[in-house]
Amino acid sequence: MSYFAILIFSIVVLPKALREYKKDKNKNTTAKYLNLLLSILIFTIYISSVKIELREYLFNLEEFYRSYQSKIGFIPSGIGKLVWIFYVLICIVISWLSVLLALRKEYARKLFLKLLPVLWILESIQLYKYALKNFSTIDTKYLFLYILILLGIIIFTFFLLYYSRLMKSFFQYTAQESPSIQQNINN
């Protein structure tokens, strides 16, 4: 985990988020802490993923092209680069959404919920590629299925948390205060 990402989040996002959370005083305290914790976790993981992927691309270009030119398990050779591009893009988007989630933006919660299935598939492919590349003793027969199930459980947990009544009421609290924000969310 990147301590630099946590530091940046704590300096830039956390004060604004805490200021936003003071508006509803003692309401939704469980949701506040849970949302902040999950936002920091998501931000740190996906900003670190962007950093790792771009570092691999920039500093180890030959190995990068070789790994994405060849077939990765059941994934055809031409698809590897495309999956990598989509993965980096979704990591950037998810990182930005984690900041907006910390700032309690309802549209960010809705978009995050819509992007979770895409994230699940791309993350599974990336983890599958990593496992095949770094662990030669793994039986690959059902590896992708195991990865899909494991990451599916994690992603589904995030989906259930952010789809729960607790989180909905937490995110919609500011929308109830301002009619113009509520109209923008409904549109």
Side-chain angles (χ1 to χ4, degrees):
M1 221 181 272
S2 174
Y3 295 112
F4 185 69
I6 294 172
L7 182 67
I8 293 295
F9 194 92
S10 299
I11 291 172
V12 176
V13 179
L14 195 58
K16 291 179 184 178
L18 292 176
R19 206 172 316 122
E20 172 67 31
Y21 295 171
K22 286 182 182 179
K23 290 180 182 178
D24 60 350
K25 300 187 180 168
N26 292 333
K27 293 182 181 177
N28 301 318
T29 54
T30 304
K32 288 177 190 176
Y33 293 123
L34 186 60
N35 183 51
L36 267 179
L37 180 67
L38 292 176
S39 296
I40 290 170
L41 178 70
I42 293 167
F43 179 79
T44 307
I45 289 170
Y46 288 102
I47 279 294
S48 298
S49 292
V50 170
K51 182 181 78 172
I52 290 167
E53 293 296 327
L54 291 178
R55 183 184 304 151
E56 179 181 327
Y57 174 73
L58 293 173
F59 297 117
N60 202 358
L61 200 54
E62 288 180 23
E63 176 65 29
F64 174 81
Y65 279 125
R66 195 168 351 108
S67 69
Y68 285 103
Q69 294 289 347
S70 61
K71 183 179 174 187
I72 305 166
F74 69 90
I75 301 169
S77 60
I79 303 290
K81 282 187 219 170
L82 192 60
V83 167
W84 181 82
I85 291 168
F86 284 134
Y87 179 71
V88 170
L89 288 176
I90 200 155
C91 284
I92 292 169
V93 170
I94 294 293
S95 298
W96 179 247
L97 284 177
S98 69
V99 170
L100 295 177
L101 287 172
L103 297 175
R104 195 158 72 175
K105 304 295 183 190
E106 172 66 10
Y107 62 89
R109 184 188 71 83
K110 289 180 179 179
L111 184 58
F112 180 70
L113 288 172
K114 289 177 183 176
L115 288 177
L116 280 177
V118 176
L119 179 67
W120 173 45
I121 299 300
L122 291 174
E123 190 72 47
S124 296
I125 292 171
Q126 284 297 106
L127 189 56
Y128 178 68
K129 178 192 78 102
Y130 179 82
L132 289 179
K133 181 179 173 184
N134 294 311
F135 304 110
S136 60
T137 59
I138 291 180
D139 179 26
T140 60
K141 189 173 184 179
Y142 298 108
L143 179 63
F144 189 70
L145 180 64
Y146 295 146
I147 290 171
L148 270 176
I149 291 170
L150 178 66
L151 286 178
I153 291 169
I154 295 168
I155 296 289
F156 189 65
T157 303
F158 275 96
F159 181 82
L160 288 177
L161 283 170
Y162 277 101
Y163 197 73
S164 70
R165 187 177 301 152
L166 174 72
M167 288 300 214
K168 281 183 183 178
S169 67
F170 169 68
F171 278 93
Q172 291 173 352
Y173 184 81
T174 55
Q176 292 169 357
E177 288 181 352
S178 173
S180 62
I181 295 174
Q182 183 67 34
Q183 289 171 355
N184 289 338
I185 290 172
N186 292 334
N187 293 334

